[in-house]
Amino acid sequence: MAAASPDSGDLIAVEPARPGSPVAVVAINRPAALNALTKSMMVSLAAAFRRLGADDAVAAVVLVGRGRSFCSGVDLTAAEEVFKGDVKDVATDPVAQMELCRKPIVGAVSGFAVTAGFEIALACDILVAGRSAKFLDTHAKFGIFPSWGLSQKLYRVIGPNRAREVSLACMPVTAEMAERWGLVNHVVDDNEVLSKAIEVAEAIARNNRNLVVLYKSVINDGFRLDLEHAQALEKERGHKYYNGMTKEQFANMQKFIQGRSPKTQSKL
């Protein structure tokens, strides 16, 4: 995986977690503005996830915000440029490209994840939060209509009553609340957020990469369905997966499993 810096003057930076690592780190790098997103940053962020999703050397992605904030939302000094006319442009929509990304995305959230930043956090597959993290939806406060999925995703994660209060009353969600409500997977000290997120991503990268991609897809696609149709989807893709395997692949699977089995047989 080659390090890359898209067109926004390094405001979106992409680099390996460490030399030779299959984990890519995408950094929103505008700390003086609390990582508020300009139009060019949004385009670059979308391009980064599109590129990493297609890169066979990348097994997982970590998304982090540099400085005191994960992402404070859209830079409202250029609101019309950002919001008008392009809300349906999937190619330049970072959340759409995160959702289309085949690789698991681990969000590393310190400080504020506000409105668009909250929506970007929700587009991650796994979230690690620092103790300072606060998730805040200010759409209702500033008269901004949500278009990156917050109104539909949040209540599916934390429940409709909580989501209504968070969005309609603009109630901040602390890291501890987010963990209790199932919004984040881990809460750690702020200086450990990135390392913990990389640790989780590297644990993912040690597994069968093809199966990880397929597993992420069936989880996320099934999440949009009712249970009956989601189970049917799993069954359909499972049959397709096994029917596509050769005898050699089954033999290799058995060798791998046998090689990892305990030397002492279970008495059960």
Side-chain angles (χ1 to χ4, degrees):
M1 178 189 66
S5 294
D7 314 347
S8 51
D10 294 331
L11 296 179
I12 303 295
V14 183
E15 58 193 17
R18 53 179 59 90
S21 173
V23 173
V25 176
V26 178
I28 306 172
N29 190 29
R30 196 186 177 205
L34 299 178
N35 295 322
L37 297 173
T38 63
K39 177 66 180 296
S40 64
M41 289 171 68
M42 291 163 56
V43 171
S44 293
L45 190 58
F49 279 103
R50 187 165 60 250
R51 184 171 60 254
L52 293 171
D55 188 340
D56 290 338
V58 175
V61 182
V62 170
L63 176 62
V64 67
R66 299 291 190 208
R68 298 183 295 113
S69 179
F70 175 71
C71 175
S72 60
V74 169
D75 187 338
L76 295 180
T77 61
E80 184 172 359
E81 178 191 10
V82 170
F83 294 127
K84 211 164 186 180
D86 65 351
V87 293
K88 293 184 179 179
D89 187 354
V90 173
T92 61
D93 181 334
V95 169
Q97 291 304 319
M98 290 173 72
E99 291 172 342
L100 291 169
C101 182
R102 298 163 61 244
K103 314 301 169 60
I105 302 168
V106 183
V109 180
S110 295
F112 285 100
V114 180
T115 313
F118 198 164
E119 292 177 299
I120 287 171
L122 282 171
C124 296
D125 298 295
I126 296 167
L127 285 176
V128 176
R131 302 194 192 282
S132 72
K134 282 190 174 60
F135 300 86
L136 183 61
D137 181 5
T138 62
H139 283 103
K141 184 182 292 291
F142 295 112
I144 300 168
F145 200 92
S147 59
W148 282 357
L150 204 158
S151 69
Q152 302 305 306
K153 290 179 182 176
L154 186 61
Y155 79 82
R156 286 171 165 83
V157 177
I158 69 172
N161 289 356
R162 286 173 176 157
R164 290 186 192 104
E165 186 173 7
V166 169
S167 295
L168 304 183
C170 301
M171 181 184 76
V173 179
T174 66
E176 289 74 17
M177 292 164 66
E179 184 180 36
R180 191 165 64 248
W181 293 353
L183 179 61
V184 305
N185 299 69
H186 304 278
V187 176
V188 298
D189 291 339
D190 287 347
N191 61 358
E192 298 175 356
V193 173
L194 180 56
S195 61
K196 180 64 178 179
I198 291 172
E199 177 189 323
V200 173
E202 289 182 334
I204 292 169
R206 287 192 290 271
N207 294 322
N208 182 302
R209 294 193 189 180
N210 180 51
L211 201 284
V212 165
V213 166
L214 295 174
Y215 212 149
K216 167 181 168 167
S217 176
V218 76
I219 290 172
N220 289 0
D221 291 347
F223 188 66
R224 298 180 174 93
L225 305 173
D226 61 78
L227 181 59
E228 180 182 354
H229 288 93
Q231 288 178 313
L233 177 72
E234 181 195 68
K235 186 76 71 178
E236 176 188 343
R237 292 189 185 179
H239 283 308
K240 181 179 179 181
Y241 178 76
Y242 289 119
N243 288 340
M245 287 179 66
T246 64
K247 289 185 177 181
E248 182 182 6
Q249 286 173 320
F250 275 111
N252 288 337
M253 178 192 289
Q254 290 171 329
K255 287 179 184 177
F256 180 77
I257 293 169
Q258 289 168 356
R260 294 174 65 87
S261 297
K263 295 186 184 302
T264 304
Q265 292 295 318
S266 168
K267 292 181 180 179
L268 298 177

